[in-house]
Amino acid sequence: MKKIVIYIALCCTLINKGCKDFLDLPPKNQRAVTTLDDVKSVLAGYLDMFARSNTSPIVGQAPIMNEAQNMMFEAYADNFDFAGNMGQYINPKNIHGIEKLYANKLLFNDMETSDNIWNNYYAVIGFLNALIDQSDELTQGDPSELKRVKGEMLVHRAYYIFKLQQYFAPMDKEDRGIPLYLHTGKEVVGIEMKRWKSADVYKVVIDDLKQALAFYQSEGGNPGYSRFFNGRFIQNLLAQVYWFKAESSARQAEDYTEARNYALAAIDGVDAYIPNTLTAFQNVQRNLNTEYPAVYMQSLNFGNVGAIYGSPYDYLGFAPANLKVDPGFLESFDNDDIRKAAYFNGAVLSSTWPDGMPNGPKYVRIHLFTPEEAYLILAESYCRLNQNEQALATLNKFKGFRGATAKNNLNNEQLLREIISERRKEFFCDTDKRWLDLKRYRLGTMQRKLKFFDKEFDIKVEAGGYHYALPIPLTELQENPHIVPNEGWNPIIF
């Protein structure tokens, strides 16, 4: 049997390599992986970050979306009144962010963060490719455990491929999917890392997830080891993939039916775990509800998102504080909605968001595969399938969890608008969700007229425009002659 050798720790020099280096070249030195226990041991060095917040993985990043990404996606969205907050951001009492940070993020110029997403996510895909290849060659070991381990890896790989496709592929250009290669260490000569058709990328993601789901349904999980290898989580992610794909160039007639079916499976039996009081809602944010059915991750860097979301030391007079949001967004909340009490203090962002703690602790807190996301995908899928009665019932049931007022007598168009509004309220400050909604629904134009370094900038982001496909890193374009860039991006030099 041919041995494949796995990195225990990636060399820092890999950071500037293109995706081809991660996807088609055999890893080098450090440790031979020849048995199932070897595979599990190496994979555990990556999975441990999903079990403990104080662990740095052997590949990738922890949390799976870091502070810079979280702030970039919010800065690229429309929830905050950034012009109205400039006096707080560019402020001598602000210890959380320098002017260049705000200029890059608020002017859609954060090339460093988008480069890091590309490099980090492709690095993990390459790592998983090597382990999956090796697991396919194993002839010894418990067959059930091998399926569990391979299923775990397939879900993780599918997740990273899906996120890269969401971030870097335009919605309406079928030939501009991400470049992809699914093996390592073999057949590497002559590979051209071209951009795939989006439909082909989605097929890989869906096939991997369906294979993992079949493994789970036949073998079950390993509670002491499995992280993403969970039937509910896999079906939640499948619902997300079909839902997002349904509005892309790769759409197929059955997408919303599939999204509906997988979302139904993902929410089966979860109602008792969805918070319906302010305290319960905040406890989920703090990961105090250990039965809440989602994967939780938290950053370790206290206050590192304060630059965008507000200083954790605002009670001492530090800026930014009392941050304004878009007035229309604020007005969209019902008075008894528990999210309004969690997010806001009057008309400004509450310093206690996200978790209600005194003095407003500010960490990146992430929940993956939440039942709330599956509920809203289900409501929209019913709506898109012209099953308006079921869509409205699902939406109103969800609103009931949050203390929001039920809606009645909505036509199909009104119902869709209400679902989009509900998503915006539910996922406020949640990772990449509002930016992806702006992209997927092709929502309205954003105009940023802001002053940095004594110069006026006027940035216009059109609905469905190029800003919704992140720029491919310059190093990738230089090293990979086969890749086509995402047009429109011209970095600003300050």
Side-chain angles (χ1 to χ4, degrees), residues 72-101:
M72 182 189 77
F73 284 119
E74 192 64 58
Y76 284 12
D78 64 348
N79 286 328
F80 280 85
D81 176 5
F82 290 115
N85 292 328
M86 285 300 294
Q88 284 292 318
Y89 289 145
I90 310 301
N91 187 311
K93 294 184 178 180
N94 181 359
I95 61 173
H96 303 283
I98 61 175
E99 189 168 4
K100 188 174 182 180
L101 178 147

PDB file of all heavy atoms in Angstrom, residues 72-101:
ATOM      1  N   MET A  72     -15.500  41.927   8.517  1.00  0.00           N
ATOM      2  CA  MET A  72     -15.536  42.275   7.102  1.00  0.00           C
ATOM      3  C   MET A  72     -16.930  42.062   6.519  1.00  0.00           C
ATOM      4  O   MET A  72     -17.465  42.931   5.826  1.00  0.00           O
ATOM      5  CB  MET A  72     -14.529  41.437   6.316  1.00  0.00           C
ATOM      6  CG  MET A  72     -14.491  41.782   4.834  1.00  0.00           C
ATOM      7  SD  MET A  72     -13.493  40.645   3.815  1.00  0.00           S
ATOM      8  CE  MET A  72     -14.631  39.256   3.692  1.00  0.00           C
ATOM      9  N   PHE A  73     -17.529  40.903   6.801  1.00  0.00           N
ATOM     10  CA  PHE A  73     -18.838  40.632   6.217  1.00  0.00           C
ATOM     11  C   PHE A  73     -19.903  41.590   6.755  1.00  0.00           C
ATOM     12  O   PHE A  73     -20.812  41.982   6.031  1.00  0.00           O
ATOM     13  CB  PHE A  73     -19.237  39.180   6.453  1.00  0.00           C
ATOM     14  CG  PHE A  73     -18.516  38.208   5.558  1.00  0.00           C
ATOM     15  CD1 PHE A  73     -17.705  37.205   6.089  1.00  0.00           C
ATOM     16  CD2 PHE A  73     -18.628  38.299   4.183  1.00  0.00           C
ATOM     17  CE1 PHE A  73     -17.037  36.314   5.256  1.00  0.00           C
ATOM     18  CE2 PHE A  73     -17.958  37.418   3.342  1.00  0.00           C
ATOM     19  CZ  PHE A  73     -17.167  36.422   3.886  1.00  0.00           C
ATOM     20  N   GLU A  74     -19.792  41.982   8.020  1.00  0.00           N
ATOM     21  CA  GLU A  74     -20.749  42.968   8.541  1.00  0.00           C
ATOM     22  C   GLU A  74     -20.488  44.336   7.931  1.00  0.00           C
ATOM     23  O   GLU A  74     -21.423  45.069   7.598  1.00  0.00           O
ATOM     24  CB  GLU A  74     -20.660  43.041  10.066  1.00  0.00           C
ATOM     25  CG  GLU A  74     -21.802  43.806  10.710  1.00  0.00           C
ATOM     26  CD  GLU A  74     -23.157  43.141  10.498  1.00  0.00           C
ATOM     27  OE1 GLU A  74     -23.331  41.981  10.888  1.00  0.00           O
ATOM     28  OE2 GLU A  74     -24.047  43.808   9.924  1.00  0.00           O
ATOM     29  N   ALA A  75     -19.219  44.692   7.768  1.00  0.00           N
ATOM     30  CA  ALA A  75     -18.880  45.979   7.162  1.00  0.00           C
ATOM     31  C   ALA A  75     -19.313  46.043   5.703  1.00  0.00           C
ATOM     32  O   ALA A  75     -19.603  47.128   5.179  1.00  0.00           O
ATOM     33  CB  ALA A  75     -17.382  46.238   7.276  1.00  0.00           C
ATOM     34  N   TYR A  76     -19.376  44.914   5.033  1.00  0.00           N
ATOM     35  CA  TYR A  76     -19.794  44.866   3.637  1.00  0.00           C
ATOM     36  C   TYR A  76     -21.313  44.782   3.489  1.00  0.00           C
ATOM     37  O   TYR A  76     -21.821  44.714   2.363  1.00  0.00           O
ATOM     38  CB  TYR A  76     -19.169  43.650   2.941  1.00  0.00           C
ATOM     39  CG  TYR A  76     -17.698  43.771   2.590  1.00  0.00           C
ATOM     40  CD1 TYR A  76     -16.894  44.800   3.088  1.00  0.00           C
ATOM     41  CD2 TYR A  76     -17.099  42.848   1.743  1.00  0.00           C
ATOM     42  CE1 TYR A  76     -15.563  44.889   2.764  1.00  0.00           C
ATOM     43  CE2 TYR A  76     -15.753  42.933   1.401  1.00  0.00           C
ATOM     44  CZ  TYR A  76     -14.983  43.951   1.926  1.00  0.00           C
ATOM     45  OH  TYR A  76     -13.646  44.041   1.600  1.00  0.00           O
ATOM     46  N   ALA A  77     -22.028  44.792   4.610  1.00  0.00           N
ATOM     47  CA  ALA A  77     -23.484  44.655   4.590  1.00  0.00           C
ATOM     48  C   ALA A  77     -24.152  45.989   4.936  1.00  0.00           C
ATOM     49  O   ALA A  77     -23.512  47.042   4.961  1.00  0.00           O
ATOM     50  CB  ALA A  77     -23.916  43.548   5.542  1.00  0.00           C
ATOM     51  N   ASP A  78     -25.444  45.947   5.218  1.00  0.00           N
ATOM     52  CA  ASP A  78     -26.241  47.178   5.330  1.00  0.00           C
ATOM     53  C   ASP A  78     -26.949  47.346   6.661  1.00  0.00           C
ATOM     54  O   ASP A  78     -27.838  48.181   6.786  1.00  0.00           O
ATOM     55  CB  ASP A  78     -27.287  47.205   4.204  1.00  0.00           C
ATOM     56  CG  ASP A  78     -28.300  46.065   4.304  1.00  0.00           C
ATOM     57  OD1 ASP A  78     -28.083  45.121   5.100  1.00  0.00           O
ATOM     58  OD2 ASP A  78     -29.316  46.117   3.589  1.00  0.00           O
ATOM     59  N   ASN A  79     -26.562  46.571   7.688  1.00  0.00           N
ATOM     60  CA  ASN A  79     -27.269  46.677   8.964  1.00  0.00           C
ATOM     61  C   ASN A  79     -26.928  47.943   9.728  1.00  0.00           C
ATOM     62  O   ASN A  79     -27.790  48.529  10.380  1.00  0.00           O
ATOM     63  CB  ASN A  79     -26.937  45.460   9.846  1.00  0.00           C
ATOM     64  CG  ASN A  79     -27.618  44.195   9.374  1.00  0.00           C
ATOM     65  OD1 ASN A  79     -28.721  44.240   8.834  1.00  0.00           O
ATOM     66  ND2 ASN A  79     -26.963  43.057   9.569  1.00  0.00           N
ATOM     67  N   PHE A  80     -25.681  48.386   9.672  1.00  0.00           N
ATOM     68  CA  PHE A  80     -25.228  49.525  10.463  1.00  0.00           C
ATOM     69  C   PHE A  80     -25.306  50.822   9.668  1.00  0.00           C
ATOM     70  O   PHE A  80     -25.185  50.840   8.440  1.00  0.00           O
ATOM     71  CB  PHE A  80     -23.779  49.309  10.917  1.00  0.00           C
ATOM     72  CG  PHE A  80     -23.638  48.402  12.102  1.00  0.00           C
ATOM     73  CD1 PHE A  80     -23.594  47.029  11.938  1.00  0.00           C
ATOM     74  CD2 PHE A  80     -23.552  48.914  13.384  1.00  0.00           C
ATOM     75  CE1 PHE A  80     -23.463  46.183  13.022  1.00  0.00           C
ATOM     76  CE2 PHE A  80     -23.419  48.085  14.482  1.00  0.00           C
ATOM     77  CZ  PHE A  80     -23.376  46.710  14.299  1.00  0.00           C
ATOM     78  N   ASP A  81     -25.480  51.907  10.383  1.00  0.00           N
ATOM     79  CA  ASP A  81     -25.394  53.252   9.815  1.00  0.00           C
ATOM     80  C   ASP A  81     -23.937  53.697   9.946  1.00  0.00           C
ATOM     81  O   ASP A  81     -23.571  54.410  10.877  1.00  0.00           O
ATOM     82  CB  ASP A  81     -26.340  54.199  10.564  1.00  0.00           C
ATOM     83  CG  ASP A  81     -26.241  55.638  10.084  1.00  0.00           C
ATOM     84  OD1 ASP A  81     -25.518  55.903   9.101  1.00  0.00           O
ATOM     85  OD2 ASP A  81     -26.886  56.507  10.707  1.00  0.00           O
ATOM     86  N   PHE A  82     -23.108  53.242   9.016  1.00  0.00           N
ATOM     87  CA  PHE A  82     -21.677  53.491   9.162  1.00  0.00           C
ATOM     88  C   PHE A  82     -21.334  54.970   9.069  1.00  0.00           C
ATOM     89  O   PHE A  82     -20.457  55.458   9.788  1.00  0.00           O
ATOM     90  CB  PHE A  82     -20.900  52.684   8.132  1.00  0.00           C
ATOM     91  CG  PHE A  82     -20.903  51.209   8.400  1.00  0.00           C
ATOM     92  CD1 PHE A  82     -21.510  50.326   7.528  1.00  0.00           C
ATOM     93  CD2 PHE A  82     -20.317  50.708   9.548  1.00  0.00           C
ATOM     94  CE1 PHE A  82     -21.517  48.969   7.777  1.00  0.00           C
ATOM     95  CE2 PHE A  82     -20.320  49.341   9.822  1.00  0.00           C
ATOM     96  CZ  PHE A  82     -20.928  48.467   8.937  1.00  0.00           C
ATOM     97  N   ALA A  83     -22.012  55.700   8.200  1.00  0.00           N
ATOM     98  CA  ALA A  83     -21.752  57.148   8.117  1.00  0.00           C
ATOM     99  C   ALA A  83     -22.074  57.821   9.446  1.00  0.00           C
ATOM    100  O   ALA A  83     -21.323  58.688   9.921  1.00  0.00           O
ATOM    101  CB  ALA A  83     -22.560  57.760   6.975  1.00  0.00           C
ATOM    102  N   GLY A  84     -23.186  57.409  10.058  1.00  0.00           N
ATOM    103  CA  GLY A  84     -23.566  57.979  11.339  1.00  0.00           C
ATOM    104  C   GLY A  84     -22.663  57.576  12.479  1.00  0.00           C
ATOM    105  O   GLY A  84     -22.654  58.235  13.526  1.00  0.00           O
ATOM    106  N   ASN A  85     -21.897  56.514  12.312  1.00  0.00           N
ATOM    107  CA  ASN A  85     -21.015  56.032  13.371  1.00  0.00           C
ATOM    108  C   ASN A  85     -19.566  56.473  13.213  1.00  0.00           C
ATOM    109  O   ASN A  85     -18.725  56.132  14.049  1.00  0.00           O
ATOM    110  CB  ASN A  85     -21.054  54.493  13.414  1.00  0.00           C
ATOM    111  CG  ASN A  85     -22.390  53.960  13.885  1.00  0.00           C
ATOM    112  OD1 ASN A  85     -23.072  54.579  14.698  1.00  0.00           O
ATOM    113  ND2 ASN A  85     -22.781  52.801  13.366  1.00  0.00           N
ATOM    114  N   MET A  86     -19.262  57.207  12.145  1.00  0.00           N
ATOM    115  CA  MET A  86     -17.861  57.547  11.887  1.00  0.00           C
ATOM    116  C   MET A  86     -17.225  58.334  13.028  1.00  0.00           C
ATOM    117  O   MET A  86     -16.039  58.175  13.316  1.00  0.00           O
ATOM    118  CB  MET A  86     -17.747  58.310  10.572  1.00  0.00           C
ATOM    119  CG  MET A  86     -17.906  57.434   9.337  1.00  0.00           C
ATOM    120  SD  MET A  86     -16.671  56.111   9.230  1.00  0.00           S
ATOM    121  CE  MET A  86     -15.193  57.081   8.993  1.00  0.00           C
ATOM    122  N   GLY A  87     -17.999  59.164  13.682  1.00  0.00           N
ATOM    123  CA  GLY A  87     -17.449  59.923  14.805  1.00  0.00           C
ATOM    124  C   GLY A  87     -17.030  59.045  15.962  1.00  0.00           C
ATOM    125  O   GLY A  87     -16.171  59.440  16.767  1.00  0.00           O
ATOM    126  N   GLN A  88     -17.628  57.862  16.063  1.00  0.00           N
ATOM    127  CA  GLN A  88     -17.223  56.906  17.087  1.00  0.00           C
ATOM    128  C   GLN A  88     -16.050  56.045  16.621  1.00  0.00           C
ATOM    129  O   GLN A  88     -15.181  55.692  17.406  1.00  0.00           O
ATOM    130  CB  GLN A  88     -18.416  56.004  17.439  1.00  0.00           C
ATOM    131  CG  GLN A  88     -19.457  56.673  18.313  1.00  0.00           C
ATOM    132  CD  GLN A  88     -18.925  56.950  19.720  1.00  0.00           C
ATOM    133  OE1 GLN A  88     -18.242  56.136  20.332  1.00  0.00           O
ATOM    134  NE2 GLN A  88     -19.231  58.132  20.228  1.00  0.00           N
ATOM    135  N   TYR A  89     -16.033  55.735  15.344  1.00  0.00           N
ATOM    136  CA  TYR A  89     -14.967  54.877  14.819  1.00  0.00           C
ATOM    137  C   TYR A  89     -13.630  55.628  14.737  1.00  0.00           C
ATOM    138  O   TYR A  89     -12.600  55.135  15.194  1.00  0.00           O
ATOM    139  CB  TYR A  89     -15.340  54.348  13.439  1.00  0.00           C
ATOM    140  CG  TYR A  89     -16.447  53.320  13.446  1.00  0.00           C
ATOM    141  CD1 TYR A  89     -17.377  53.260  12.410  1.00  0.00           C
ATOM    142  CD2 TYR A  89     -16.570  52.400  14.487  1.00  0.00           C
ATOM    143  CE1 TYR A  89     -18.383  52.310  12.399  1.00  0.00           C
ATOM    144  CE2 TYR A  89     -17.577  51.451  14.488  1.00  0.00           C
ATOM    145  CZ  TYR A  89     -18.483  51.407  13.445  1.00  0.00           C
ATOM    146  OH  TYR A  89     -19.487  50.465  13.436  1.00  0.00           O
ATOM    147  N   ILE A  90     -13.658  56.795  14.123  1.00  0.00           N
ATOM    148  CA  ILE A  90     -12.434  57.608  14.045  1.00  0.00           C
ATOM    149  C   ILE A  90     -12.466  58.564  15.226  1.00  0.00           C
ATOM    150  O   ILE A  90     -12.955  59.688  15.155  1.00  0.00           O
ATOM    151  CB  ILE A  90     -12.344  58.365  12.707  1.00  0.00           C
ATOM    152  CG1 ILE A  90     -12.574  57.404  11.540  1.00  0.00           C
ATOM    153  CG2 ILE A  90     -10.993  59.051  12.587  1.00  0.00           C
ATOM    154  CD1 ILE A  90     -11.596  56.244  11.473  1.00  0.00           C
ATOM    155  N   ASN A  91     -11.929  58.099  16.339  1.00  0.00           N
ATOM    156  CA  ASN A  91     -12.114  58.768  17.622  1.00  0.00           C
ATOM    157  C   ASN A  91     -10.876  58.503  18.472  1.00  0.00           C
ATOM    158  O   ASN A  91     -10.417  57.353  18.564  1.00  0.00           O
ATOM    159  CB  ASN A  91     -13.369  58.192  18.297  1.00  0.00           C
ATOM    160  CG  ASN A  91     -13.768  58.924  19.557  1.00  0.00           C
ATOM    161  OD1 ASN A  91     -12.943  59.178  20.434  1.00  0.00           O
ATOM    162  ND2 ASN A  91     -15.043  59.247  19.662  1.00  0.00           N
ATOM    163  N   PRO A  92     -10.311  59.523  19.093  1.00  0.00           N
ATOM    164  CA  PRO A  92      -9.098  59.312  19.901  1.00  0.00           C
ATOM    165  C   PRO A  92      -9.314  58.362  21.081  1.00  0.00           C
ATOM    166  O   PRO A  92      -8.333  57.834  21.621  1.00  0.00           O
ATOM    167  CB  PRO A  92      -8.741  60.731  20.383  1.00  0.00           C
ATOM    168  CG  PRO A  92      -9.988  61.531  20.219  1.00  0.00           C
ATOM    169  CD  PRO A  92     -10.707  60.950  19.057  1.00  0.00           C
ATOM    170  N   LYS A  93     -10.569  58.136  21.466  1.00  0.00           N
ATOM    171  CA  LYS A  93     -10.846  57.216  22.567  1.00  0.00           C
ATOM    172  C   LYS A  93     -11.105  55.785  22.085  1.00  0.00           C
ATOM    173  O   LYS A  93     -11.465  54.916  22.873  1.00  0.00           O
ATOM    174  CB  LYS A  93     -12.047  57.714  23.378  1.00  0.00           C
ATOM    175  CG  LYS A  93     -11.784  59.026  24.099  1.00  0.00           C
ATOM    176  CD  LYS A  93     -12.977  59.432  24.957  1.00  0.00           C
ATOM    177  CE  LYS A  93     -12.681  60.720  25.715  1.00  0.00           C
ATOM    178  NZ  LYS A  93     -13.835  61.138  26.562  1.00  0.00           N
ATOM    179  N   ASN A  94     -10.902  55.554  20.800  1.00  0.00           N
ATOM    180  CA  ASN A  94     -11.086  54.217  20.238  1.00  0.00           C
ATOM    181  C   ASN A  94      -9.740  53.495  20.245  1.00  0.00           C
ATOM    182  O   ASN A  94      -8.825  53.867  19.508  1.00  0.00           O
ATOM    183  CB  ASN A  94     -11.636  54.306  18.810  1.00  0.00           C
ATOM    184  CG  ASN A  94     -11.875  52.955  18.172  1.00  0.00           C
ATOM    185  OD1 ASN A  94     -11.615  51.921  18.771  1.00  0.00           O
ATOM    186  ND2 ASN A  94     -12.371  52.969  16.952  1.00  0.00           N
ATOM    187  N   ILE A  95      -9.628  52.456  21.043  1.00  0.00           N
ATOM    188  CA  ILE A  95      -8.388  51.676  21.125  1.00  0.00           C
ATOM    189  C   ILE A  95      -8.494  50.380  20.322  1.00  0.00           C
ATOM    190  O   ILE A  95      -7.583  49.551  20.350  1.00  0.00           O
ATOM    191  CB  ILE A  95      -8.042  51.338  22.589  1.00  0.00           C
ATOM    192  CG1 ILE A  95      -9.159  50.496  23.223  1.00  0.00           C
ATOM    193  CG2 ILE A  95      -7.796  52.604  23.386  1.00  0.00           C
ATOM    194  CD1 ILE A  95      -8.816  49.971  24.616  1.00  0.00           C
ATOM    195  N   HIS A  96      -9.587  50.206  19.585  1.00  0.00           N
ATOM    196  CA  HIS A  96      -9.867  48.920  18.950  1.00  0.00           C
ATOM    197  C   HIS A  96      -9.582  48.892  17.452  1.00  0.00           C
ATOM    198  O   HIS A  96      -9.474  47.803  16.878  1.00  0.00           O
ATOM    199  CB  HIS A  96     -11.327  48.534  19.196  1.00  0.00           C
ATOM    200  CG  HIS A  96     -11.679  48.465  20.633  1.00  0.00           C
ATOM    201  ND1 HIS A  96     -11.330  47.409  21.438  1.00  0.00           N
ATOM    202  CD2 HIS A  96     -12.319  49.362  21.440  1.00  0.00           C
ATOM    203  CE1 HIS A  96     -11.754  47.636  22.674  1.00  0.00           C
ATOM    204  NE2 HIS A  96     -12.346  48.807  22.700  1.00  0.00           N
ATOM    205  N   GLY A  97      -9.486  50.039  16.830  1.00  0.00           N
ATOM    206  CA  GLY A  97      -9.272  50.021  15.394  1.00  0.00           C
ATOM    207  C   GLY A  97      -8.646  51.318  14.905  1.00  0.00           C
ATOM    208  O   GLY A  97      -9.054  52.407  15.304  1.00  0.00           O
ATOM    209  N   ILE A  98      -7.658  51.190  14.030  1.00  0.00           N
ATOM    210  CA  ILE A  98      -7.024  52.369  13.443  1.00  0.00           C
ATOM    211  C   ILE A  98      -7.777  52.771  12.178  1.00  0.00           C
ATOM    212  O   ILE A  98      -8.603  52.020  11.644  1.00  0.00           O
ATOM    213  CB  ILE A  98      -5.543  52.102  13.132  1.00  0.00           C
ATOM    214  CG1 ILE A  98      -5.404  50.951  12.120  1.00  0.00           C
ATOM    215  CG2 ILE A  98      -4.775  51.802  14.409  1.00  0.00           C
ATOM    216  CD1 ILE A  98      -3.972  50.697  11.677  1.00  0.00           C
ATOM    217  N   GLU A  99      -7.469  53.951  11.665  1.00  0.00           N
ATOM    218  CA  GLU A  99      -8.210  54.480  10.527  1.00  0.00           C
ATOM    219  C   GLU A  99      -8.116  53.563   9.312  1.00  0.00           C
ATOM    220  O   GLU A  99      -9.094  53.387   8.578  1.00  0.00           O
ATOM    221  CB  GLU A  99      -7.705  55.886  10.181  1.00  0.00           C
ATOM    222  CG  GLU A  99      -8.570  56.595   9.143  1.00  0.00           C
ATOM    223  CD  GLU A  99      -8.241  58.073   9.033  1.00  0.00           C
ATOM    224  OE1 GLU A  99      -7.296  58.537   9.708  1.00  0.00           O
ATOM    225  OE2 GLU A  99      -8.933  58.777   8.276  1.00  0.00           O
ATOM    226  N   LYS A 100      -6.952  52.952   9.088  1.00  0.00           N
ATOM    227  CA  LYS A 100      -6.805  52.093   7.916  1.00  0.00           C
ATOM    228  C   LYS A 100      -7.718  50.878   7.989  1.00  0.00           C
ATOM    229  O   LYS A 100      -8.248  50.425   6.971  1.00  0.00           O
ATOM    230  CB  LYS A 100      -5.349  51.654   7.759  1.00  0.00           C
ATOM    231  CG  LYS A 100      -5.087  50.914   6.457  1.00  0.00           C
ATOM    232  CD  LYS A 100      -3.613  50.615   6.262  1.00  0.00           C
ATOM    233  CE  LYS A 100      -3.377  49.908   4.932  1.00  0.00           C
ATOM    234  NZ  LYS A 100      -1.939  49.616   4.718  1.00  0.00           N
ATOM    235  N   LEU A 101      -7.921  50.334   9.184  1.00  0.00           N
ATOM    236  CA  LEU A 101      -8.836  49.205   9.330  1.00  0.00           C
ATOM    237  C   LEU A 101     -10.227  49.592   8.861  1.00  0.00           C
ATOM    238  O   LEU A 101     -10.871  48.856   8.097  1.00  0.00           O
ATOM    239  CB  LEU A 101      -8.874  48.744  10.790  1.00  0.00           C
ATOM    240  CG  LEU A 101      -9.827  47.584  11.133  1.00  0.00           C
ATOM    241  CD1 LEU A 101      -9.238  46.729  12.248  1.00  0.00           C
ATOM    242  CD2 LEU A 101     -11.217  48.077  11.557  1.00  0.00           C
TER     243      LEU A 101
END
